[in-house]
Amino acid sequence: ATALSPDQAPYIETITPLHTRARRAGLLYLAAGLGAPFALLFVPRAIMVSGDPTATADRIRAARSVVELGIAAELLSCSLIVLALLALYRLFRGVSQSLAVTMVTLFLLSVPLQLANLLTQIAALMMTSGTPTLAAFSKEQLDALAYTFVRLHGRGIDMAQIYWGLWLIPYGLVVRRSGFIPAWLGVPLIVAGIAYVATSVTSLFFPEYAPVLSPVLLTLGAGEIPILVWLIGWGARRGRMQVRNP
């Protein structure tokens, strides 16, 4: 092993834990988001038939296991994101305590909202379960209720997505100030945050424009990806340097 000079040792001792924390935060954030496309995109598209309660309810009955997997994926994501946020807070608290607290708080506001919103999917499953306790309702009524609960779940996601966007703004700002992450990576985070909020506002209050604007805005939401790739890669590279220079 190459011997370190006295002036190099403090640098290695200080910088190595920082890179380790960066990689850990990136991996946890990746793990938390892996199930999101399935739960938030695939499942709703697999069961929802716009304007047709009967067809929607029939799809739910035929794909109960898919809906249940979607619920499980959201539960797992909500659990892992808390760990990821703690890791990100530890990474950035030395840069700006106020920005680190703000970004964590904004995202945490979405977690109980997302968890409560899962009850709508559970209710849709109940409406299509055929249990004797629901015999007082006709099939058409149960189908209409299931369809309504599926739509409510979508609106709940729109509401949670506002906070998924807002937290990216202080996240981008603290990245730009960090000094140990390229400042330009904060810009797509801020843009993504604004795009997520705009997407939700459009869906909730101006739905007639959603088919045109949402694809563009969600594309801008991909601004989360560069920092994620950099956090994981940056931590891994520094870890290899540590092995070569023990």
Side-chain angles (χ1 to χ4, degrees):
T2 304
L4 296 175
S5 63
D7 60 326
Q8 289 176 311
Y11 174 76
I12 295 298
E13 291 172 359
T14 300
I15 202 68
T16 300
L18 186 65
H19 285 76
T20 301
R21 291 197 301 271
R23 187 185 187 200
R24 184 184 300 119
L27 289 171
L28 284 170
Y29 190 31
L30 174 64
L34 284 177
F38 175 77
L40 304 181
L41 296 176
F42 177 79
V43 173
R45 292 174 182 174
I47 63 175
M48 183 68 174
V49 181
S50 182
D52 193 334
T54 299
T56 299
D58 288 341
R59 285 191 177 189
I60 296 172
R61 293 184 184 96
R64 292 185 64 86
S65 60
V66 173
V67 179
E68 290 167 349
L69 283 175
I71 293 172
E74 281 198 65
L75 286 171
L76 181 60
S77 176
C78 287
S79 301
L80 291 175
I81 197 61
V82 174
L83 299 178
L85 289 170
L86 289 174
L88 287 170
Y89 171 76
R90 290 170 181 165
L91 181 64
F92 292 113
R93 63 185 173 183
V95 177
S96 172
Q97 181 82 8
S98 60
L99 285 175
V101 169
T102 300
M103 74 173 187
V104 170
T105 301
L106 285 172
F107 199 107
L108 285 178
L109 287 173
S110 74
V111 174
L113 182 58
Q114 187 178 359
L115 290 174
N117 191 47
L118 285 176
L119 291 173
T120 59
Q121 282 197 321
I122 294 172
L125 288 174
M126 291 176 63
M127 295 302 105
T128 56
S129 64
T131 58
T133 55
L134 297 174
F137 298 94
S138 67
K139 181 180 181 300
E140 290 75 17
Q141 289 174 324
L142 292 173
D143 289 352
L145 286 170
Y147 179 80
T148 300
F149 284 126
V150 171
R151 291 198 63 189
L152 281 175
H153 182 264
R155 298 294 74 78
I157 292 300
D158 287 334
M159 292 177 64
Q161 188 173 241
I162 292 175
Y163 295 102
W164 297 343
L166 288 176
W167 90 287
L168 292 177
I169 297 174
Y171 185 13
L173 292 174
V174 79
V175 164
R176 288 184 60 80
R177 293 187 187 182
S178 67
F180 55 83
I181 296 176
W184 70 266
L185 286 172
V187 176
L189 280 173
I190 296 171
V191 171
I194 295 171
Y196 280 137
V197 174
T199 300
S200 290
V201 170
T202 301
S203 297
L204 289 169
F205 303 109
F206 308 100
E208 64 273 19
Y209 300 111
V212 176
L213 294 178
S214 292
V216 177
L217 293 172
L218 289 176
T219 299
L220 295 176
E224 285 186 88
I225 297 175
I227 183 64
L228 178 62
V229 173
W230 193 89
L231 282 174
I232 296 173
W234 180 69
R237 287 197 299 271
R238 186 60 67 176
R240 289 196 293 270
M241 289 178 64
Q242 183 183 3
V243 172
R244 291 197 301 268
N245 296 287

